[in-house]
Structure formats: structure tokens, C-alpha cells
Amino acid sequence: MKVGTSGLVALLVLLSGCVPSNPDTDTFDDKSLRTAGAALSQTRTVSGLLQTSYDGRMLRPTALAQLRYSEDSLDTATGAFTELNPPSARDAQYTRLSTLLGEAGDLVAEARIAVERSEEARYPRLVDRLDALASKLERLEGRLR
Amino acid sequence: MSDAIDANLELLDRQIVDHDGAMVAKVDDVELEERDDGRLHVTALLTGPGALGPRLGGAFGNMVASTWARLAGRTEPGRVSWSSVASVGIVVTLAVDRTTVAVDGFEVWMRDRIIAAIPGSKVLPK
Amino acid sequence: MTVRHRLNDLLGMQVRYADGTDGDRVIDVRLAPGPRVPGPMAELVVDGMVVGKMRPGTLFGYDRHPTQGPWLLRQVIGFLHRHTGYLEWADVERIDWDARVVHVRRTSLRKLPPAR
Amino acid sequence: MKKLFAVALGILTAIGGFVDIGDLVTNATVGSRFGLSLAWVVVLGVVGIAVFAEMSGRVVAVSGRPTFDIVRERLGPRVGLVNLFGSMAVTLLTYTAEIGGIALALELGTSVWSYFWIPFTAAAVWVVLWRAKFNLLENAFGLLGLALLVFGVALWQLGPDWGQLWHTASTAAKPSPEPWPTYWYYAVALFGAAMTPYEVFFFSSGGIEEKWSPASIPTMRSNVLIGFPLGGTLSISIAACAAVVLLPAGIEVESLGQVALPVAVALGQLGLAVAILGFFAATFGAACATGLSVGYSIAQYLGWTWGKSVRPRDAARFHAVVLLSTLLAALVLLTTIDPILVTEFSVVFSAIALPLTYLPILIVANDPSYMGRHKNGALANTLGSIYLVIVLAASLAAIPLMIWTKVGTT
């Protein structure tokens, strides 16, 4: 049984794609790329939810449910990235992406509260800020690819 | 040679049904008896983990057989005597009702102990 | 005292030919109708044994239904089971149930007659 | 007239019942990352399941032997048992994903946390499996599942550049940023989603429940050869909606809400409500099918009485297995594991387990002692053999790809 369990553990580690906390530049760039992509995906999702809600095309329960998943997913991606110790050559990139991730987190939380309170008046402004942030993330992603 | 049967290919692991088609068990093994004519005669079909265990083989097979023996309180597997077999085809059809051969003790136990206690168990699904 | 065995004991037994060679095993047991007995069906009696290498696909039945498709499988299984042959009951000298060996009067297998 | 109704009903339920949580999530994920460059895999999978289901349906109609009877008769008890464990693990995984899917659909409709719904959905599924007759269950959810046609309407409403869509689909043009291993990983996942083993367990056991005879072969064939491909187009329309709306926005599907977003964009609140109803019906119907399949397969291997045509007390062990599986599924979900993650694993393991049941069916469909004159013709054997190779290839490639792409996340 011993071999079986150690084999299973190795498989799970491989599958979980866990990244060492002191990654080299390539691993760090790859992790940054995937984190930026995940943040972009959730930012655009929330923007879509607000836009369709504002246009009366979205159901409020669906928006609330999806907002919850988007916020969780963003928090997980952010946490997994900011806990890394970046190689010195990547300090600027680390700071830049961490800032964008922080802004994204705040904006998504703001969006959740707005939808919770059905404050449709605030949606257009939030959508613009979310889209602006998404473009920055997209540019960063483009540079990393 | 037309009605010869290859036991492994056409008898073992076949479904046994009773005379009105109710499912009874699988042919988990076949009992062979040495007769004075020196030949091996098929005298019964054997069913249940007591018969299936040895065919699974290895530690797992033994575990299946011994666990069942402990639960059932006997080592002899379920036995359907050859005289109650009506035909052997895609399935083995009995000439009798399944309660006559009484090989599904576990089914009866599960029915009386658990399933019968759940409301609606006696009602035909609508 | 009636001596009873299980078919599973017979399946897989080593076959030892008259010249002492072995290596083949009992793959299947052919049953034929025997004496009339109480009950709807005549009693079945062991009439012969299908013998060969214990390789996967014994239960696919390709050796006994040679025309069975599909072509791809027939070639693969046919190749695996090219040694399969047959022994009539008369060819069996004795069955040693404890050592799990079937002692045979012949030095080679008969050609396998299809079951149907 | 009654015959026509039965045929139409059969086709409609085949369409509605075709899509499950695995199809929903995998097609939307693939659409949002690869556009339609993997659509050919859905076509391959749909033709595959049609060939496989037609064979097993014919075997049931002629010999009365459903899948796991045959698996044991043709592979022997030992290999048959390994097959049973493998297939049951996958079917239980899919059953868990389906029940989780129902809870997710209810969450989208009510915004109430999905884990709150799980005990109720598991209980509701079990009550249906305990009381409802087989064809009531199949028809009700099959027809309700047609709500997913809303994705086709949404796609039409979005007015995409059809030429460009057709171009990516026909040339399998992979978007540049996605690496090839991930492309092939999702090809296997899509193939597993389309050719899930439980669909054949349920389809063939259903043949016994509905007492098919050789006379039912034409109706069965129409269900399979018309219903399944149309069901497949539903999957492709889900992927296409994701490709048109989510891919350009860089949204990668990770939750059911994102799958429904394109419908809201295209059709607004009514369309979204119909889509959520479709999610609910598809996952509930599939939960019933997978729940029963666990019971069917174990009962058929061991020779127990099984089925919905007898009173529960006359199939005590069968119902005990169904009850136990439902409890197990609910417990796994209550560990707050994400049903979408469970779904991703279930479709890949479906691809791995598929050859185990595909091979025996292909063999028995050719066995004259089972099939008589209804045995496989040249076409069925040609397609059958081709798919045997494809199914084996997908099964062997699944785990290496899963490790190489870290479950498709790279």
C-alpha cells in the first residue's frame, strides 16, 4: 500500500499545479500570466453582469449568485499570487499585478454591494471602471504571453 | 453435438430466471459429481458469494467468500438443483418459482430489514 | 460417499500429455446431454475439454464461432488463440484434483469442433 | 397515430436527455477558450455514442441482456468486477456532479447558496427514483431539457459572423495563446462528455424497463440516429454562444452563471429564465439516469432483481444501492467541493472507463447465439471497429494529458 499512497500524493501534487513559493523567473512569469488571465476573466464577467442588469436583461438572483463565484475565484487567484516571493528581476511586475488585483477585488466587492442593494444608478460607472481595469489586465497579459 | 454446451462460455455467469421470468441469481459456479460410470455429472448450479468468491481468486476472492460465510452462518453456497432447471439459453430458466430455490437470503434480509420500512415500498411506481 | 467438485476447480487445470509435456490449460468444459433424470432437462455430463493457452479473450467465443465479426477483433483474438484445441473425455486418463493436473493419453490436442 | 407520437416522443426525450452537466460545463469552457475549434470532437463523440447506443439497444431488444450482464458474461467475473468498479466510480462521480448541478441551477434561480440546496436536491432525486415509473421520469425531464434549445435561439439572436464560426469549426483553428497539450486535453474531455458510459447503461437498461422486442428496433434507431445528433447540436450551440460572447471578452468559464451569460446578453430575462430551467431539467434528468445506472449495473453484475417496473420491496438490494449512492453523493457535495471541478474529473474519467464496456458490447453485437440475424452488419462493424480504436486511444491519452496540463489549467 505504501507505494500506492505515495504515488497518489505525487499525482495530486502534479495535478494541483502547486507552485513553489520562491519561483524562478519562468515559473513566475507563467504564474503571473495565468493570474492576470483569471483576474481578467472575472472582471469582465462582473462587468457583463452589471451591464445586462442595467439593461434589464439579467435576473437579480443569477447576478448575485455569479458575483459570489467571481469574487471567490478572484480572491483565490489573488491570494495564490501575492503570497509568492518574486525573483528580484520581477519586482516591478509583481507590484504592478498585485495593485491591479487589489483594484479588481475592491471593484468586484463594490459591484456585489450595489447589486445587493439594487442601486442600478451606480452600475454604468462601475462598468466603465471594470472595463478600464480589464484593459490594463489585458495589456499586461499581452506583454507576458 | 447440436445441444452441447460449453460451460464457461454458455453457462457460467448467465442470469437465472424463474418460471415467470423473475430474476433469481447468476450461475456463479456449477456442481460436478463423480458417478460410478467414471463421468462427471452436472448436479446443481451454485449461486452467491460462496460460489463467486473462489472464481474471483486471490486474496480478494477469499475475503468475499469468508465475509459472506460469516454473515450467512454457513459455507455452502446457494444451490439450485439441476432437476429444477427448465432450459439453458441466453438465460437459465427454472421450472419452479424463485421462492422454491430460496437462494436470495440477502435480498430477503434487505427487504425485511430496510426497504420494507420505507413508506411506499409496497406500491408499484406510478 | 458422493464426491463433488466445482467446475471452477477444473477450469484452468494444467494438462499433462502422455509424453510428460505440459503448458496448456483447460479453457472450457464441453457438456453434453446425459441420462434422463427427474426434471425437465436431461442431466449434462462432461464430454470434453477445450484446451489452450490461458490468454485474454477466452470468453469472447471467437474460437468456437470462427465467423464472428468484427474482422479486426477476429484477427487479434484468432492470433492469440491459435493453439486452442480439444480433448474428448476418452482422451483423459485421470484428473488429479489436488495437484490440479489433467493427465491425458494423447501427446497433442485434437482440432476444435465448433460448438454449434 | 400512436406510433408516430411514440417515435416523436422518443426523439424529443433523446434530445432533451442528451445534455448533462458534463456537456454544459465542458462545451461552454471549450467554447470560451477554443471557440469552435474543438467542435469536430463533439461530432465525433455524438456519432460514437449513437453507434454504441444503437448496438447496445439492438442487443437488449433481441437478447434481453443489458450492458452489465454482457460485461460479466463476456469478460468473466474477475475482469467484469474490475470493469464494474471502474464504471461505478465514474458513474458515481457523474451522479455527484449532476446533483451538484441541480443545486447550482437552483442557486442561479434563487441566489440561495448551492450547498443549502444539496440535501433537498439529493432527497428529491431519490424520491423520484423510489416512486416514479421509468418512462414518466425519462419523458418529463427529457421534454423539459428541450429548454436548452434557448442556446440555439440565443446564438441566432446574437447574429454572429457565421462564416468565421464555420471557418474555425471546419479547420479546427486553435486560438494561438492556448498550448497544444491543453487543446488535446479538452478534446478528450469533450469526447468523454459526449460518450459517457452511464448513457449506455441507462439506455440499454431502459430497453428492459420498456420491454423492447426486435420490433422496437426501428423506434430505438430513430431515437439514437436522430435524437442523439440533435442533442449534439445543443452542445455545439452552447459552445458557440460561449465562443461568440465569452471568448472575445477573455472570460474563461468556471461556473454555471458564466455559461448562462450569453443567453442573457442575447435574449434578456426570459431567455435566461428558460436557460436556467434547462439547466435544472438536464441535470435532474441526468441525475436520475446516473443514480439508476449505479443500481442497474451492480444488480446486473450480481444477478439481483432490478428495475422500476417492480415494487421497491421486490428489488430491495437494487433500491438499497440507489439509496446508498444518493447519500454518498450528497455527503461528497456537502464537503463544499466545487461541483464544476467534480464534473471536469467525471468527463475525463468517463473517457478512461469507456473501453471497459464498449468492447463487450461490440463483441456480443456480433455473437450469433445472442443476436441471430440482428447481429452487426458491415456498417456497424466498420464504425464499431473504428470507434474501438478511437475509444482506446482517448482512454490511454487521458491521464498523461491530465497530468501534463494540470487538469487543463495551464
Side-chain angles (χ1 to χ4, degrees):
Chain A
M1 247 335 258
K2 237 192 96 13
V3 169
T5 32
S6 54
L8 191 65
V9 166
L11 182 68
L12 284 178
V13 165
L14 268 173
L15 285 185
S16 65
C18 96
V19 175
S21 57
N22 300 0
D24 57 35
T25 46
D26 289 345
T27 320
F28 183 77
D29 285 345
D30 176 58
K31 184 65 180 168
S32 310
L33 175 62
R34 267 190 285 113
T35 306
L40 170 66
S41 175
Q42 296 308 340
T43 312
R44 282 267 170 68
T45 302
V46 172
S47 165
L49 293 174
L50 290 182
Q51 189 59 57
T52 47
S53 299
Y54 189 70
D55 302 341
R57 307 179 78 83
M58 172 55 69
L59 296 169
R60 186 167 168 277
T62 311
L64 284 171
Q66 179 52 46
L67 264 161
R68 219 180 2 246
Y69 278 102
S70 293
E71 197 165 7
D72 284 351
S73 166
L74 189 57
D75 290 351
T76 317
T78 306
F81 178 74
T82 46
E83 73 190 17
L84 297 178
N85 305 319
S88 46
R90 289 292 184 271
D91 277 347
Q93 180 180 312
Y94 176 79
T95 324
R96 174 72 179 148
L97 184 49
S98 302
T99 323
L100 290 178
L101 291 172
E103 281 173 31
D106 299 343
L107 265 177
V108 168
E110 237 183 287
R112 176 199 3 115
I113 295 162
V115 173
E116 193 67 49
R117 299 181 186 153
S118 300
E119 294 168 345
E120 272 100 5
R122 296 176 55 199
Y123 292 176
R125 182 81 186 84
L126 277 169
V127 166
D128 294 342
R129 290 166 64 198
L130 282 162
D131 288 347
L133 180 67
S135 324
K136 290 179 195 163
L137 283 166
E138 212 156 26
R139 271 199 302 282
L140 179 61
E141 204 188 14
R143 276 207 306 280
L144 287 166
R145 214 179 284 289
Chain B
M1 283 295 279
S2 68
D3 44 17
I5 295 173
D6 281 1
N8 198 8
L9 184 65
E10 290 158 327
L11 183 55
L12 273 179
D13 302 315
R14 289 293 167 111
Q15 176 72 46
I16 304 174
V17 293
D18 74 1
H19 59 91
D20 45 24
M23 297 171 211
V24 177
K26 283 273 180 175
V27 178
D28 291 319
D29 210 332
V30 174
E31 183 183 87
L32 302 174
E33 191 177 284
E34 281 181 27
R35 290 276 175 73
D36 0 354
D37 62 4
R39 306 289 296 256
L40 289 168
H41 292 247
V42 171
T43 47
L45 301 177
L46 303 175
T47 68
L52 181 61
R55 291 193 55 226
L56 295 175
F60 181 73
N62 300 338
M63 189 198 69
V64 166
S66 57
T67 319
W68 172 76
R70 219 170 323 108
L71 289 174
R74 57 184 165 86
T75 56
E76 280 313 303
R79 189 172 182 283
V80 175
S81 79
W82 188 256
S83 58
S84 47
V85 173
S87 68
V88 173
I90 291 179
V91 295
V92 172
T93 311
L94 300 184
V96 294
D97 183 71
R98 65 189 228 163
T99 45
T100 326
V101 290
V103 285
D104 43 15
F106 181 31
E107 171 82 13
V108 172
W109 180 86
M110 183 65 79
R111 178 187 62 202
D112 300 343
R113 281 292 187 293
I114 299 174
I115 299 299
I118 305 175
S121 70
K122 298 180 186 54
V123 180
L124 255 182
K126 277 187 279 315
Chain C
M1 214 285 278
T2 53
V3 178
R4 284 184 174 159
H5 306 285
R6 292 194 188 173
L7 178 64
N8 187 48
D9 302 334
L10 187 50
L11 290 174
M13 269 196 192
Q14 279 285 348
V15 171
R16 183 154 302 138
Y17 295 100
D19 56 9
T21 57
D22 52 23
D24 286 342
R25 308 256 298 270
V26 175
I27 293 177
D28 208 335
V29 170
R30 185 154 296 172
L31 306 172
R36 298 299 309 166
V37 283
M41 269 189 80
E43 204 173 47
L44 291 176
V45 178
V46 173
D47 194 46
M49 297 178 194
V50 178
V51 176
K53 302 282 185 279
M54 280 302 260
R55 291 196 179 135
T58 49
L59 285 174
F60 292 175
Y62 280 95
D63 38 25
R64 277 147 278 180
H65 301 292
T67 58
Q68 185 173 300
W71 177 83
L72 176 72
L73 276 176
R74 195 165 62 234
Q75 301 311 324
V76 170
I77 306 293
F79 175 74
L80 280 175
H81 289 268
R82 60 192 181 286
H83 308 294
T84 307
Y86 187 69
L87 286 175
E88 285 170 4
W89 180 256
D91 300 330
V92 173
E93 190 194 325
R94 64 182 171 85
I95 300 176
D96 182 336
W97 294 88
D98 302 327
R100 287 181 57 76
V101 173
V102 177
H103 295 276
V104 178
R105 292 193 177 83
R106 298 171 53 89
T107 55
S108 69
L109 294 172
R110 294 172 187 269
K111 198 177 171 318
L112 180 66
R116 282 258 202 288
Chain D
M1 198 25 219
K2 192 177 177 314
K3 184 97 177 59
L4 193 63
F5 175 74
V7 170
L9 187 64
I11 294 173
L12 291 174
T13 43
I15 300 169
F18 184 81
V19 173
D20 70 356
I21 187 74
D23 298 308
L24 277 173
V25 169
T26 315
N27 278 286
T29 307
V30 164
S32 72
R33 292 181 62 177
F34 297 91
L36 285 183
S37 59
L38 276 165
W40 62 274
V41 176
V42 178
V43 173
L44 187 73
V46 167
V47 171
I49 194 72
V51 166
F52 190 12
E54 192 277 335
M55 264 195 289
S56 68
R58 200 160 15 97
V59 166
V60 162
V62 174
S63 71
R65 303 315 321 137
T67 314
F68 258 89
D69 271 304
I70 289 163
V71 163
R72 177 168 169 181
E73 281 163 24
R74 273 298 165 269
L75 298 181
R78 216 191 333 261
V79 176
L81 194 62
V82 169
N83 188 330
L84 184 67
F85 281 142
S87 302
M88 283 313 97
V90 169
T91 307
L92 262 175
L93 202 61
T94 312
Y95 188 35
T96 307
E98 302 297 346
I99 291 181
I102 306 170
L104 290 177
L106 287 172
E107 180 179 32
L108 289 182
T110 63
S111 90
V112 173
W113 206 36
S114 69
Y115 300 110
F116 165 80
W117 287 113
I118 284 172
F120 299 97
T121 52
V125 168
W126 178 73
V127 166
V128 168
L129 296 185
W130 176 258
R131 291 304 305 278
K133 211 168 173 2
F134 182 83
N135 28 38
L136 166 71
L137 170 145
E138 195 181 19
N139 296 343
F141 293 106
L143 293 176
L144 269 175
L146 289 173
L148 289 177
L149 285 170
V150 77
F151 277 91
V153 176
L155 183 62
W156 181 264
Q157 188 67 19
L158 287 165
D161 170 354
W162 295 101
Q164 199 260 342
L165 272 184
W166 174 250
H167 172 69
T168 50
S170 51
T171 57
K174 173 182 75 61
S176 62
E178 294 291 353
W180 275 107
T182 317
Y183 179 86
W184 286 108
Y185 168 75
Y186 275 106
V188 168
L190 259 183
F191 188 72
M195 279 191 88
T196 31
Y198 85 83
E199 276 164 11
V200 174
F201 304 153
F202 185 68
F203 185 77
S204 74
S205 307
I208 304 282
E209 298 269 27
E210 287 162 354
K211 302 191 172 31
W212 286 353
S213 68
S216 353
I217 290 181
T219 321
M220 177 274 289
R221 275 208 177 116
S222 68
N223 292 0
V224 166
L225 302 179
I226 300 170
F228 281 26
L230 288 176
T233 51
L234 274 190
S235 296
I236 293 180
S237 62
I238 292 168
C241 284
V244 169
V245 174
L246 303 180
L247 179 59
I251 297 176
E252 290 173 5
V253 166
E254 283 172 61
S255 52
L256 215 50
Q258 290 167 316
V259 178
L261 191 55
V263 177
V265 168
L267 302 173
Q269 293 183 330
L270 178 63
L272 180 58
V274 170
I276 293 173
L277 169 67
F279 291 165
F280 175 79
T283 48
F284 205 108
C288 295
T290 36
L292 283 176
S293 294
V294 177
Y296 286 148
S297 304
I298 292 175
Q300 283 159 21
Y301 177 87
L302 292 169
W304 301 343
T305 315
W306 55 268
K308 301 297 293 150
S309 50
V310 292
R311 293 177 308 174
R313 68 190 307 279
D314 299 331
R317 290 169 291 186
F318 166 74
H319 277 284
V321 164
V322 171
L323 179 61
L324 201 64
S325 317
T326 310
L327 291 176
L328 194 65
L331 283 179
V332 167
L333 287 167
L334 287 175
T335 61
T336 70
I337 185 170
D338 175 10
I340 300 294
L341 186 63
V342 173
T343 305
E344 277 165 18
F345 276 100
S346 75
V347 290
V348 176
F349 281 104
S350 289
I352 295 169
L354 199 55
L356 296 171
T357 38
Y358 183 87
L359 181 64
I361 296 274
L362 177 60
I363 291 167
V364 167
N366 279 284
D367 186 330
S369 62
Y370 277 83
M371 301 300 289
R373 61 182 175 79
H374 290 287
K375 66 185 172 76
N376 270 11
L379 177 63
N381 269 339
T382 321
L383 282 174
S385 303
I386 293 168
Y387 269 96
L388 179 63
V389 173
I390 296 172
V391 154
L392 280 173
S395 171
L396 293 174
I399 290 192
L401 278 172
M402 188 183 234
I403 293 177
W404 193 355
T405 63
K406 298 189 182 62
V407 197
T409 51
T410 48

